[in-house]
């Protein structure tokens, strides 16, 4: 081993030199024994009293006693040399950086000067080109004038002057112009010297990026061609195309990319302008209207402020021209009291059996049908329910109809829902035809019906009025032809017309959530033609028509005015009564639906926010003594759910009420079960069932699910359940009176009244009141009732007995004891 290690400490082990054998192993089982000797270098550490610095060593190395242990003079000298070399390198680097910075500054200055020179040359070249163009124009005009003058002179030459000198005089001017052109052409190469054809160099800075300077990615070939084309047009003296000033519609908030699209500007330019104004945004971020207005004005466009409600302006109210209108089938609504034969009458007209499929034999949905008569005329019928809970359905039927057929049973006459149907027809201002049904029954009395209709200002033709009346029988078919003739006559008087060649508009008669088809809406088209593939908005929902199904269950491609169809393709279930409008694009429909949904949400929030703290406190105080029955309702169609909720709101009084936590359309799901469990409410399914996960969850959580198909049963059960929350009514029955004759003190009992029963009977279990001078002094129960020495249960009138009051001793002679019993009476909701 070498001893020349510059004072470095070598590896070693304690104990001095030591020899040993090491066995080395190699591949394929080969081994080798080697002798290894380890040595430790001895380090001499000078004693504290050793030589002083400068006594014989190098003074630059410092005092050896202050060095770390094991550092020799050679190591110290090497370290000093390395330190000096590092300082020298640092000085050289600083000088180099200074020189580089100076060179870069000179380069930047040179480039600025070159750019300025280029700009000057460009301006000079443009001026020269303009001057040249003007000179050429003047020369051209002079040549034209000379040619005209020469032609005129040749036609009429003056006496004594030849025509040749005139041509010679015009030659010098053209020669001078040609002499000037080479001089200008010779000057062009010198001006183009030093140009780099717009090639950029150097680093891109933030200021250059924001100010539109050079930098960034290289320009595309198309951009270079556009630049060359602009330069060529500029050189030819043609003016650039003027900027198109646009009217930019600006809502309350807008996305940057949409703003650029409306201005027809590049998105990058808009983002750059926003960054210049201090807003670091991307093209997908939203900015407010004030900021967008500044950007629009900066780009030279005009601002047109619009509100959120303006999105509905795309749904235009088109006034159809008279020549575009075509006859359309009438819409007839069948109305009347429940069980008066409305659906049976319509079945007889249609030759169908709808009533056989109705639960309980009553109509609980609004149905839309189209009938073709023997004469070939088409009639659209709406069949409305007659039950009291379906008021909203009858109102919707009256609003979209042309003619109301009021069905009244001849054996039942005018009933409450008959009166309601009359009011709906009058409110909708539509003509009415009275159909007196069940005339085949022996107890039928049509004249009674006509007479009772007079009380409600319905005067039929048989009573010298203007309302048509027809006696019919759905069972035998009597009078059906006369009814159809009356409808056709009334429709002919109305002259119903519509324009089928326009965007469709219709009303939602009913809506439901079908398991296999999704949201389905029954729509009565009022104007225009609804076609498959049309994009529409209806209430807070929108969609695209995927399929149209008529009342016979057949798929059709289009539906004209007065045609009821089922529409598939909605994104959600609309409300019954919403208006359907066809739009041009899906974006418009989505925007309108989102606006309507937001407006409805804000309206609900505003209704809750308008309540003051005092009103909340007073309502909470009123609700302290009110018991609530929470329920969840799921129905098959929107109209049924609405009718059930309205019926539930009418159940209750000051002590109990029904609260519908949630109502919806479709099957009962797990989320409904979760809500019912949290609120302790039962789930009512009307013509719907719970799916398998919901049933399992209900069994696990103990939630009650009840199924109904007739609205009568549902309302009766809820009434019974709500009646159970009512506190029982306490009624008192007086059974007797007793008069105190004497008061005795008995040890262990206290004061005992010696009484005689003057009226009725005295019972041990009854309640008693102590009357003194006909004023109630005490009310309580008896502690003891004795006849002689025996404890008895009751004492009859005219007999003497002993009475002691429970926890009361202030009794006196001649006091009267009133004996009564309390009875709890169960109350019910009416």
């Amino acid at each position: 081993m070498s001893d020349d290690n510059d004072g470095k400490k070598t590896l070693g082990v304690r104990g001095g030199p030591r020899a040993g054998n090491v066995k080395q192993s190699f591949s394929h089982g080969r081994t080798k024994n080697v002798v290894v000797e380890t040595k430790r270098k001895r380090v001499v550490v000078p004693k504290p009293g050793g030589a002083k610095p400068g006594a014989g060593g190098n003074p630059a190395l410092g005092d050896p006693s202050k060095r770390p242990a094991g550092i020799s003079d050679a190591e110290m000298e090497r370290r000093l040399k390395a330190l000096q070399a590092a300082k020298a390198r640092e000085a050289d680097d600083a000088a180099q950086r200074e020189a580089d910075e100076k060179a870069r500054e000179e380069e930047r200055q040179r480039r600025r000067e070159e750019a300025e020179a280029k700009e000057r040359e460009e301006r000079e070249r443009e001026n020269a080109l303009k001057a040249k163009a003007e000179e050429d124009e003047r020369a051209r005009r002079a040549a034209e004038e000379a040619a005209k003058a020469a032609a005129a002179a040749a036609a009429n030459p003056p006496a004594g002057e030849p025509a040749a000198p005139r041509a010679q005089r015009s030659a010098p001017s053209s020669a001078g112009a040609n002499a000037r052109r080479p001089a200008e052409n010779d000057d062009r190469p010198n001006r183009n010297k030093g140009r780099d054809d717009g090639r950029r160099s150097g680093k891109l800075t933030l200021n250059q990026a924001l100010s539109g300077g050079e930098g960034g990615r290289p320009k595309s070939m198309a951009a270079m061609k556009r630049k060359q084309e602009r330069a060529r047009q500029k050189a030819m003296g043609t003016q650039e195309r003027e900027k198109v000033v646009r009217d930019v519609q600006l809502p309350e908030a807008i996305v940057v990319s949409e703003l650029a699209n409306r201005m027809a500007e590049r998105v990058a330019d808009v983002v750059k302008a926003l960054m210049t104004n201090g807003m670091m945004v991307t093209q997908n971020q939203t900015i407010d209207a004030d900021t967008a207005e500044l950007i629009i004005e900066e780009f030279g466009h005009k601002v047109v402020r619009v509100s959120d409600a303006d999105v509905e302006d795309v749904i235009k109210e088109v006034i159809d021209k008279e020549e575009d209108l075509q006859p359309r089938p009438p819409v007839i609504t069948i109305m009347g009291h429940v069980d008066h034969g409305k659906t049976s009458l319509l079945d007889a007209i249609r030759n169908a059996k709808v009533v056989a499929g109705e639960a309980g034999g009553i109509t609980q949905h609004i149905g839309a049908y189209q009938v073709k008569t023997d004469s070939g005329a088409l009639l659209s019928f709406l069949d409305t329910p007659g039950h009291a809970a379906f008021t909203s359905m009858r109102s919707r039927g009256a609003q979209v109809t042309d003619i109301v057929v009021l069905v009244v049973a001849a054996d039942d006459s005018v009933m409450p829902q008959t009166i309601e149907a009359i009011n709906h027809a009058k409110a909708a201002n539509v003509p009415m035809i009275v159909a007196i049904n069940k005339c085949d029954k022996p107890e039928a009395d049509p004249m009674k019906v006509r007479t009772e209709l007079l009380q409600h200002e319905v005067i039929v033709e048989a009573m010298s009025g203007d309302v048509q009346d027809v006696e019919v029988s759905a069972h035998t078919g009597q009078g059906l032809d006369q009814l159809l003739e009356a409808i056709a006559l009334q429709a002919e008087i109305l002259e119903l017309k519509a324009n089928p060649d326009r965007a469709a508009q219709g009303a939602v008669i009913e809506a439901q959530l079908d398991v296999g088809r999704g949201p389905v809406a029954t729509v009565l088209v009022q104007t225009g033609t609804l076609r498959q593939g049309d994009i529409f908005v209806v209430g807070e929902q929108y969609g695209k028509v995927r399929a149209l199904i008529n009342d016979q269950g057949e798929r059709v491609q289009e539906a004209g005015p007065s045609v009821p169809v089922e529409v598939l393709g909605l994104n959600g279930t609309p409300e019954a009564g919403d208006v359907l409008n066809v739009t041009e694009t899906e974006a418009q429909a989505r925007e309108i639906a989102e606006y309507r949904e937001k407006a409805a949400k804000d309206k609900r929030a505003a209704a809750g926010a308008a309540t003051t703290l005092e009103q909340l406190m007073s309502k909470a105080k009123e609700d302290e003594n009110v018991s609530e029955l929470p329920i969840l309702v799921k129905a098959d169609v929107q109209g049924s759910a609405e009718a059930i909720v309205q019926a539930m709101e009418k159940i209750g009084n000051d002590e109990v009420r029904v609260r519908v936590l949630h109502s919806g359309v479709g099957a009962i799901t797990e989320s409904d079960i979760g809500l019912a469990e949290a609120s302790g409410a039962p789930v009512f399914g009307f013509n719907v069932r719970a799916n398998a996960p919901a049933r399992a969850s209900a069994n696990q959580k103990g939630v009650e699910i009840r199924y109904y198909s007739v609205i009568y049963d549902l309302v009766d059960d809820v009434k019974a359940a709500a009646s159970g929350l009512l506190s029982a009514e306490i009624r008192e029955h007086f059974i007797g009176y007793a008069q105190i004759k004497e008061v005795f003190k008995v040890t262990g009992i206290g004061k005992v009244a010696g009484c005689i029963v003057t009226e009725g009977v005295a019972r041990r279990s009854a309640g008693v009141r102590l009357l003194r001078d006909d004023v109630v002094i005490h009310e309580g129960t008896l502690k003891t009732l004795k006849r002689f020495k025996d404890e008895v249960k009751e004492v009859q009138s005219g007999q003497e007995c002993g009475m002691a009051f429970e926890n009361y001793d202030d009794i006196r002679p001649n006091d009267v004891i009133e004996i009564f019993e309390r009875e709890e009476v169960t109350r019910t909701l009416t």
Side-chain angles (χ1 to χ4, degrees), residues 700-716:
Q700 180 182 0
K701 297 176 180 177
V703 176
E704 182 183 9
I705 301 177
R706 293 190 179 187
Y707 301 118
Y708 297 92
S709 57
V710 180
I711 197 170
Y712 292 134
D713 300 336
L714 189 150
V715 174
D716 292 343

Side-chain angles (χ1 to χ4, degrees), residues 266-532:
R266 294 174 63 239
V267 179
D269 296 339
V270 177
V271 172
K272 190 183 294 183
L274 286 167
M275 288 185 176
T276 307
N277 290 329
M279 290 189 65
M280 301 298 170
V281 296
T282 63
Q283 64 177 354
N284 297 322
Q285 286 181 278
T286 304
I287 58 175
D288 60 293
D290 296 334
T291 305
E293 184 174 358
L294 294 175
I295 299 300
I296 293 170
E297 291 176 350
E298 185 176 334
F299 278 89
H301 300 289
K302 295 180 181 179
V303 179
V304 180
R305 286 289 190 114
V306 295
S307 63
D308 292 339
D310 292 341
V311 297
E312 298 204 27
D313 290 345
V314 296
I315 304 174
K316 299 176 182 177
E317 283 291 335
V318 180
I319 300 176
D320 298 317
K321 299 178 181 178
E322 188 65 31
E323 57 268 18
D324 296 335
L325 299 178
Q326 298 179 13
R328 66 172 178 85
V331 179
I332 303 102
T333 300
I334 310 291
M335 302 179 74
H337 192 71
V338 63
D339 203 25
H340 274 202
K342 299 181 298 298
T343 307
S344 300
L345 182 62
L346 187 56
D347 285 348
I349 296 173
R350 298 177 60 231
N351 294 324
K353 298 292 182 184
V354 174
V355 71
E358 296 282 3
I362 62 170
T363 301
Q364 301 178 106
H365 306 90
I366 186 166
Y369 313 99
Q370 200 163 32
V371 177
K372 190 170 185 179
T373 62
D374 296 336
S375 61
L378 283 175
L379 304 176
S380 296
F381 283 94
L382 297 181
D383 185 17
T384 60
H387 188 265
F390 297 100
T391 302
S392 299
M393 285 193 188
R394 288 190 291 274
S395 177
R396 282 197 299 275
Q399 293 299 325
V400 299
T401 190
D402 300 316
I403 302 169
V404 169
V405 174
L406 182 64
V407 178
V408 186
D411 60 341
D412 205 12
S413 193
V414 177
M415 298 299 285
Q417 270 60 60
T418 309
I419 301 170
E420 183 190 294
I422 293 171
N423 295 332
H424 284 314
K426 289 181 178 179
N429 196 21
V430 292
M432 188 188 312
I433 298 174
V434 178
I436 304 174
N437 197 15
K438 302 185 180 180
C439 289
D440 57 320
K441 286 192 172 184
E443 61 272 21
D445 190 358
M447 190 54 64
K448 181 184 175 183
V449 174
R450 297 185 179 98
T451 306
E452 290 190 2
L453 287 175
L454 291 174
Q455 302 175 11
H456 306 287
E457 300 178 358
V458 178
I459 307 172
V460 298
E461 290 181 344
M463 300 287 227
S464 302
D466 56 354
V467 178
Q468 298 183 76
D469 65 314
V470 182
E471 296 182 8
V472 296
S473 172
H475 186 65
T476 62
Q478 170 193 343
L480 294 182
D481 294 336
Q482 290 86 342
L483 178 61
L484 293 178
E485 287 178 8
I487 293 172
L489 176 62
Q490 189 65 58
E492 189 176 347
I493 294 172
L494 294 175
E495 294 183 354
L496 302 171
K497 292 182 179 181
N499 181 13
D501 302 324
R502 52 164 288 185
Q505 180 178 342
V508 176
I509 303 300
E510 193 59 273
Q512 60 180 331
L513 185 64
D514 195 285
V515 176
R517 301 184 296 173
V520 180
T522 302
V523 177
L524 177 67
V525 181
Q526 294 172 316
T527 57
T529 302
L530 185 63
R531 296 179 175 84
Q532 187 172 345

